[in-house]
Amino acid sequence: QVQLVESGGGSVPAGGSLRLSCAASRLIYCMGWFRQAPGKGREGVATFSRYGASNYAASVQGRFTIYRDIDRNTLYLQMNLLKPEDTGMYYCAAEEGSCYLNGAFDYWGQGTQVTVSS
């Protein structure tokens, strides 16, 4: 089992920045961020493997940066140039196997809300 605790959400105007954090209870191979906007399905935002490989959704490429502190079992998502369409609940997830945006993740956090106003 892995427990995941997110923090760092909030409300910002368009063009602003936020940094999300996700603390894991132990080291795990893959961690990632997913989001769900009101009335829409969940989508992958970015993943980061234990060995440094990352994947990004096209919609956030160049604006968001995912990184991990392996020693602290913590995942981060630096979000810059935020847009209203980035609004949603952001979830941290973890997985022992593969590390793909469309993969099946076994462990999920409770989520943290991000709201970007126009």
Side-chain angles (χ1 to χ4, degrees), residues 58-99:
S59 59
V60 306
Q61 186 82 42
R63 300 187 296 121
F64 291 10
T65 302
I66 188 171
Y67 58 101
R68 286 175 74 167
D69 183 333
I70 294 297
D71 292 337
R72 299 188 179 193
N73 295 335
T74 302
L75 179 73
Y76 301 94
L77 184 69
Q78 178 65 46
M79 304 186 293
N80 298 328
L81 299 176
L82 282 160
K83 303 176 181 180
E85 51 263 44
D86 294 318
T87 294
M89 186 68 76
Y90 282 68
Y91 298 92
C92 176
E95 164 66 23
E96 289 286 11
S98 62
C99 205

Side-chain angles (χ1 to χ4, degrees), residues 1 6 10 15 23 34 36 51 56 63 66 70 91-92 94 97:
Q1 284 290 329
E6 304 102 332
F34 294 76
Q36 186 165 16
Y51 301 107
Y56 292 92
R63 300 187 296 121
I66 188 171
I70 294 297
Y91 298 92
C92 176

Side-chain angles (χ1 to χ4, degrees), residues 2 4 26-32 34 47-50 68 92-100 103-108:
V2 177
L4 303 170
R26 64 170 176 85
L27 181 64
I28 190 165
Y29 173 65
C30 179
M31 296 181 73
F34 294 76
T47 61
F48 200 99
S49 78
R50 174 181 177 178
R68 286 175 74 167
C92 176
E95 164 66 23
E96 289 286 11
S98 62
C99 205
Y100 302 109
F105 281 71
D106 289 332
Y107 307 104
W108 293 85

